[in-house]
Amino acid sequence: MVAAVSKAGGMGVLGALAFSPEQLEIELRWIDEHVEGKPYGVDIVMPAKYAGKEQGLGRADAAGQVDASVFEKMIPQATRDWMEKVLEEYQVPPLPENAPRREGSGLLGWTDGGGRSQVEIALKHPTRLLVNALGPPPKDVIELAHQHGVQVAALVGTVEHALRQKAQGVDIIVAQGTEAGGHTGEIGSMVLIPDVVDAVAPTPVLGAGGIASGRQVAAALALGAQGVWTGSVWLTVAEADVSPIVKEKLLRAGSKDAVRSRSLSGKPARLLRTGWTEAWERPDCPGTLPMPLQYMATAEASARIGYWSRSEKSRARELLGMPVGQVVSRMNQEQGSAEVVRGFIEEFVDTLERLNGLLDAAESRG
Ligand SMILES: Cc1cc2nc3c(=O)[nH]c(=O)nc-3n(C[C@H](O)[C@H](O)[C@H](O)COP(=O)(O)O)c2cc1C
């Protein structure tokens, strides 16, 4: 999908969070072979805050490995017992005996060390953009990217975050409104984008959150953004690596089905409403855990539910979901990535013509 978007005239960005260093290397090599020299980016997550960071936990050792066991021990038994109860209610069977279990697989790149090893791998490839979410990337990481001629972008949900990113030396700010899928703040794109544009000028801003059509691209540019950044719309394209069950759920969902929940990572993220997101709101729920513990605590449950499975069979259809934004309302049929890019451009041009027509009509009235 990244290669298809870049070849169609967009700029594909690979979300690296879920990949081990070995997998990331394989993915980037594949992109290099298929992107026909077009620019692409890599998105990492180096959160400014996570449980244990101040005590030095989550740093990589000399071999680039992060010790996950210290985090595993921080997960309360009460949380594990409650999740087991929910899975039993939905009759989700345990994982088969021979199912692969990777030590620390729930830690992902959600620590300083995990994110850094991903940066090192990304910079060995001809990537043009490094993007970070959940706080300013460390200064030395920005400098390293610049030494490789790579620009750095960062996602923000408030003006204060944007100013902090600019002070840290980030080249491009992505102003992401609350409508967005994934980790998201509370301010809508309509208000956030112009406020961020004004606060960080002349630093370029990409508008994000709720963009899945040419009219929405035009709106973001009208608010002062220099470009747009999209996420949800790619979940239902033909090239998306998403299970057919989830794709079908997304194609049927409306905006109210995209809810903010801490159940994925411990920080608020907009997700498709499922039995799993609802369970974490129940009065008997012991509460979510801080990042990165929540994702680790739920890793086995996610595998049992089939969260990361591409199979047509699910062990628990009602619990199966995906991060997605309110713009899921416009995702009603599967299209190719190139078709989506073309559709954006065509509707954007039509919109400009319509708006120009308003100007012409006003002028002719004198
Ligand atoms: C399934 C999904 C996964 C995401 N994962 C990440 C991520 O790992 N890192 C990141 O910076 N943003 C992530 N995002 C947020 C997107 O980068 C983007 O800001 C957001 O989707 C824009 O809003 P939209 O969903 O309304 O298009 C994710 C979004 C979705 C829908």
Side-chain angles (χ1 to χ4, degrees), residues 217-291:
V217 174
L221 299 198
L223 295 173
Q226 255 123 336
V228 297
W229 169 268
T230 54
S232 297
V233 70
W234 307 107
L235 291 170
T236 50
V237 295
E239 294 87 347
D241 193 13
V242 172
S243 96
I245 301 171
V246 174
K247 248 189 203 180
E248 194 199 305
K249 279 184 156 190
L250 294 173
L251 291 172
R252 277 190 284 117
S255 296
K256 280 170 76 173
D257 299 316
V259 293
R260 253 169 120 241
S261 163
R262 289 183 186 265
S263 62
L264 179 72
S265 70
K267 290 188 194 269
R270 197 172 295 284
L271 314 174
L272 185 69
R273 184 205 308 275
T274 63
W276 189 244
T277 60
E278 304 236 296
W280 286 91
E281 303 295 326
R282 285 177 3 188
D284 68 327
C285 169
T288 52
L289 303 170
M291 181 174 276

Side-chain angles (χ1 to χ4, degrees), residues 214 344-354:
F344 273 25
I345 296 168
E346 282 168 12
E347 194 180 287
F348 173 74
V349 171
D350 289 348
T351 306
L352 287 197
E353 282 173 356
R354 185 164 51 81

Side-chain angles (χ1 to χ4, degrees), residues 13-18 43-45 110 131-134 154-155 174-184 189 207-212 229-235 242 250 264 270-271 307-308 322-328 331:
V13 178
L14 179 73
L17 176 66
D43 180 293
I44 47 157
V45 178
W110 269 327
V131 189
N132 184 56
L134 303 180
L155 271 66
V174 181
Q176 188 210 252
T178 186
E179 299 92 321
H183 291 111
T184 190
S189 299
I211 297 173
W229 169 268
T230 54
S232 297
V233 70
W234 307 107
L235 291 170
V242 172
L250 294 173
L264 179 72
R270 197 172 295 284
L271 314 174
Y307 202 88
W308 304 114
M322 178 61 73
V324 75
Q326 292 175 348
V327 82
V328 71
M331 295 153 50

Side-chain angles (χ1 to χ4, degrees), residues 289-326:
L289 303 170
M291 181 174 276
L293 305 183
Q294 177 71 12
Y295 191 90
M296 294 184 83
T298 54
E300 183 162 335
S302 299
R304 283 171 64 180
I305 294 165
Y307 202 88
W308 304 114
S309 160
R310 306 296 179 244
S311 151
E312 300 221 16
K313 287 197 205 110
S314 169
R315 293 154 164 273
R317 229 187 148 90
E318 297 121 297
L319 302 183
L320 205 55
M322 178 61 73
V324 75
Q326 292 175 348

Side-chain angles (χ1 to χ4, degrees), residues 70-84 280 286-290 292-294 296-298:
V70 284
F71 290 104
E72 289 280 358
K73 289 186 198 123
M74 292 160 79
I75 299 169
Q77 190 57 38
T79 308
R80 295 190 193 277
D81 294 345
W82 176 81
M83 282 190 295
E84 190 56 44
W280 286 91
T288 52
L289 303 170
L293 305 183
Q294 177 71 12
M296 294 184 83
T298 54

Side-chain angles (χ1 to χ4, degrees), residues 11-96:
M11 180 154 172
V13 178
L14 179 73
L17 176 66
F19 295 122
S20 67
E22 299 77 31
Q23 277 172 305
L24 180 60
E25 176 59 33
I26 293 168
E27 296 286 329
L28 293 178
R29 213 175 297 152
W30 192 95
I31 293 173
D32 292 341
E33 282 162 13
H34 292 84
V35 77
E36 296 172 4
K38 297 283 192 262
Y40 72 88
V42 176
D43 180 293
I44 47 157
V45 178
M46 299 182 83
K49 288 186 205 143
Y50 59 81
K53 183 171 183 180
E54 277 163 21
Q55 294 93 297
L57 304 184
R59 300 240 169 89
D61 62 18
Q65 299 295 314
V66 179
D67 181 9
S69 64
V70 284
F71 290 104
E72 289 280 358
K73 289 186 198 123
M74 292 160 79
I75 299 169
Q77 190 57 38
T79 308
R80 295 190 193 277
D81 294 345
W82 176 81
M83 282 190 295
E84 190 56 44
K85 189 174 107 180
V86 175
L87 293 173
E88 276 169 19
E89 283 169 19
Y90 282 89
Q91 296 166 352
V92 182
L95 284 178

